[in-house]
Amino acid sequence: DQQVKQNSPSLSVQEGRISILNCDYTNSMFDYFLWYKKYPAEGPTFLISISSIKDKNEDGRFTVFLNKSAKHLSLHIVPSQPGDSAVYFCAAGGTSYGKLTFGQGTILTVHP
Amino acid sequence: GAGVSQTPSNKVTEKGKYVELRCDPISGHTALYWYRQSLGQGPEFLIYFQGTGAADDSGLPNDRFFAVRPEGSVSTLKIQRTERGDSAVYLCASSLSVGLNTEAFFGQGTRLTVV
């Protein structure tokens, strides 16, 4: 039972354009969501998070949008840069427990 | 050290052998997590500790897997009678506490290959 799904295995974007990565979840008990970025041979690094009481959180070039009714979140990167090329994972958690449930990841490639 | 450290970075073992994977969390982090990542998948939760105790071990796949954190700092993930299906990258993470705004920092992982 995949509670967090990233349905696009890969995304290719031109430098300077917007990258939009999508994530869907099924468990209504999740009340916060995170995006992690992973380079080869490294562990995931935290990018940005959002509480379920908000619908948007912004940090520099990164914005996360949450649509609770649709159980959908997205990460927008604008403008995209070649250094953003990595695997992006969305993850979900609950404030009453510690574990995170991750999606399968989306490989983002930003072309110069 | 400044980050989460995992040793060894790579481990090749024969089917049926016992292995131990070590995690040194960030100093002062009370929560410690183990995840497993198979090729093409996201990290899959195994167990997490709050201090010395396992707060949630619901992700351990079977009784061949065991983890300890005896002094509330370093943790060891132990796998008995390894099987080829155990081959994966084992990730450790730590955080100051749990919940929103308590970012989990990951180590670089231990790549386990069972041959």
Side-chain angles (χ1 to χ4, degrees), chain A residues 32-74:
Chain A
Y32 70 97
F33 305 88
L34 311 91
W35 285 93
Y36 279 82
K37 173 178 173 179
K38 187 180 182 305
Y39 293 117
E42 294 184 9
T45 55
F46 170 78
L47 266 179
I48 192 169
S49 64
I50 188 167
S51 162
S52 60
I53 64 173
K54 294 188 174 182
D55 55 17
K56 178 182 174 181
N57 189 26
E58 194 170 352
D59 183 3
R61 297 185 298 114
F62 301 91
T63 303
V64 56
F65 295 93
L66 175 63
N67 182 333
K68 277 190 70 176
S69 60
K71 294 191 175 68
H72 177 84
L73 64 152
S74 60

Side-chain angles (χ1 to χ4, degrees), chain A residues 73-93:
Chain A
L73 64 152
S74 60
L75 174 68
H76 292 209
I77 308 173
V78 56
S80 302
Q81 300 172 354
D84 296 330
S85 298
V87 181
Y88 288 78
F89 293 100
C90 70

Side-chain angles (χ1 to χ4, degrees), chain A residues 32 36 38 41-44 46 49-51 89 95 97-100 102-104, chain B residues 33 35 37 40-43 45 48 56 58 91 98-100 103-104 106-108:
Chain A
Y32 70 97
Y36 279 82
K38 187 180 182 305
E42 294 184 9
F46 170 78
S49 64
I50 188 167
S51 162
F89 293 100
T95 49
Y97 55 92
K99 75 178 189 183
L100 293 176
F102 284 82
Q104 311 95 305
Chain B
Y33 314 80
Y35 289 83
Q37 186 175 14
Q41 300 295 316
F45 171 77
Y48 99 89
D56 183 352
S58 62
L91 294 163
V98 299
L100 184 64
E103 173 192 345
F106 282 83
Q108 83 283 8

Side-chain angles (χ1 to χ4, degrees), chain B residues 27-41:
Chain B
S27 178
H29 281 193
T30 60
L32 183 147
Y33 314 80
W34 284 99
Y35 289 83
R36 175 169 73 172
Q37 186 175 14
S38 301
L39 196 62
Q41 300 295 316

